[in-house]
Amino acid sequence: MTYSTFASRFANNCRLCLALAATALLTACASPITAKVTSFNQWPGNVAGATFSYFRPTDGINDLEQQAYEGCVQVELERLGLKRAPQGQVGRIEVDIVTGNGTRDRKVREAVYQDNYIFHPPYRNAAGHVFPGYWGPDAFGSRYVGDREVIRTMQVSNLRIRLLDTQGSTAGKPRAVFESRAVYEGDNEDLPDLVPYLVRAVFDGFPGQNGRVKLVKFDGKADTTTKLKSPS
């Protein structure tokens, strides 16, 4: 099998995996996925048709996981008109992908509901039988009694992508032409499930306004992207 055939099949498989991951993750999540994206760019105007290649961790740790994330990025770069450099060659654009996963505690307010019990008085039926009074649940169900402040442990997952241009740069020192970080903060999710969405958030509206911070929400019902206003 030639390299070009392998690369084409790999990209197609990645597209299929993205679709399956989208379906599985959004089905499992009760709420939409929101990513906070911060991007900077000096994107050149003559990149269309150029090749790209990846930086790889020197220790080789999580190599298969890293390749899976590279496949997600490859789909987006190909949409921009770039193409993967032949194996063993350095493309004009070098791609640096770094992921991270952690937690942090955050104070949140949550609603408090109380199950009310009321006294049902004794009563006599039509046959003259007397039934004693008793305590039972309120027919209207639980009542909202206010809010309380609690500490929740939130998952914080992030993806950083840098695109570096080797053209016109000092040998071995390509210049950054695009840098972006997407951060998810919310309920616990597996990082491999989140990365496809973080990648899409990074490339949403690429290259975008320099220095812009935006929120990108993925609707759990239709897997659509909603651009929210920039946080203040």
Side-chain angles (χ1 to χ4, degrees), residues 45-58:
N46 61 344
V47 182
T51 59
F52 65 90
S53 56
Y54 296 99
F55 282 115
R56 290 285 173 80
T58 56

Side-chain angles (χ1 to χ4, degrees), residues 88-107:
Q89 295 185 19
V90 176
R92 172 180 171 178
I93 300 297
E94 292 192 89
V95 185
D96 183 25
I97 304 171
V98 178
T99 58
N101 215 22
T103 60
R104 81 177 183 90
D105 292 336
R106 187 176 73 176
K107 291 182 180 180

Side-chain angles (χ1 to χ4, degrees), residues 180-191:
S180 185
R181 181 183 298 273
V183 179
Y184 162 84
E185 182 175 319
D187 295 330
N188 290 336
E189 302 290 349
D190 293 330
L191 182 62

Side-chain angles (χ1 to χ4, degrees), residues 8-99:
S8 177
R9 290 185 178 179
F10 184 83
N12 290 336
N13 288 340
C14 183
R15 293 186 182 95
L16 176 59
C17 290
L18 280 172
L20 294 176
T23 302
L25 180 57
L26 289 173
T27 300
C29 294
S31 60
I33 298 170
T34 301
K36 181 178 180 181
V37 183
T38 307
S39 299
F40 301 88
N41 79 86
Q42 293 182 346
W43 191 246
N46 61 344
V47 182
T51 59
F52 65 90
S53 56
Y54 296 99
F55 282 115
R56 290 285 173 80
T58 56
D59 55 14
I61 296 177
N62 291 329
D63 190 55
L64 292 177
E65 180 180 354
Q66 185 74 10
Q67 289 179 33
Y69 301 156
E70 290 174 359
C72 298
V73 174
Q74 179 171 335
V75 172
E76 299 298 332
L77 292 177
E78 288 178 345
R79 287 176 182 168
L80 298 175
L82 280 68
K83 55 186 178 182
R84 182 75 178 268
Q87 188 173 19
Q89 295 185 19
V90 176
R92 172 180 171 178
I93 300 297
E94 292 192 89
V95 185
D96 183 25
I97 304 171
V98 178
T99 58

Side-chain angles (χ1 to χ4, degrees), residues 30-222:
S31 60
I33 298 170
T34 301
K36 181 178 180 181
V37 183
T38 307
S39 299
F40 301 88
N41 79 86
Q42 293 182 346
W43 191 246
N46 61 344
V47 182
T51 59
F52 65 90
S53 56
Y54 296 99
F55 282 115
R56 290 285 173 80
T58 56
D59 55 14
I61 296 177
N62 291 329
D63 190 55
L64 292 177
E65 180 180 354
Q66 185 74 10
Q67 289 179 33
Y69 301 156
E70 290 174 359
C72 298
V73 174
Q74 179 171 335
V75 172
E76 299 298 332
L77 292 177
E78 288 178 345
R79 287 176 182 168
L80 298 175
L82 280 68
K83 55 186 178 182
R84 182 75 178 268
Q87 188 173 19
Q89 295 185 19
V90 176
R92 172 180 171 178
I93 300 297
E94 292 192 89
V95 185
D96 183 25
I97 304 171
V98 178
T99 58
N101 215 22
T103 60
R104 81 177 183 90
D105 292 336
R106 187 176 73 176
K107 291 182 180 180
V108 297
R109 299 189 67 81
E110 65 176 25
V112 178
Y113 294 88
Q114 179 176 303
D115 292 328
N116 287 334
Y117 283 80
I118 60 175
F119 182 74
H120 299 266
Y123 70 96
R124 185 193 305 270
N125 64 12
H129 298 105
V130 177
F131 296 87
Y134 65 95
W135 289 91
D138 189 340
F140 294 98
S142 300
R143 303 291 180 88
Y144 170 75
V145 295
D147 293 333
R148 65 179 177 182
E149 191 174 79
V150 297
I151 302 296
R152 287 186 59 193
T153 299
M154 312 294 291
Q155 176 178 325
V156 181
S157 301
N158 62 82
L159 167 74
R160 190 199 70 180
I161 296 179
R162 293 196 307 153
L163 304 181
L164 302 101
D165 193 354
T166 60
Q167 183 170 296
S169 303
T170 304
K173 296 182 179 180
R175 61 186 179 91
V177 291
F178 179 80
E179 296 183 2
S180 185
R181 181 183 298 273
V183 179
Y184 162 84
E185 182 175 319
D187 295 330
N188 290 336
E189 302 290 349
D190 293 330
L191 182 62
D193 288 335
L194 286 173
V195 167
Y197 295 96
L198 298 181
V199 170
R200 287 173 56 187
V202 164
F203 286 96
D204 179 65
F206 181 92
Q209 183 178 342
N210 187 42
R212 181 75 180 272
V213 179
K214 65 180 180 181
L215 298 177
V216 180
K217 181 175 72 173
F218 296 92
D219 190 334
K221 293 182 180 180

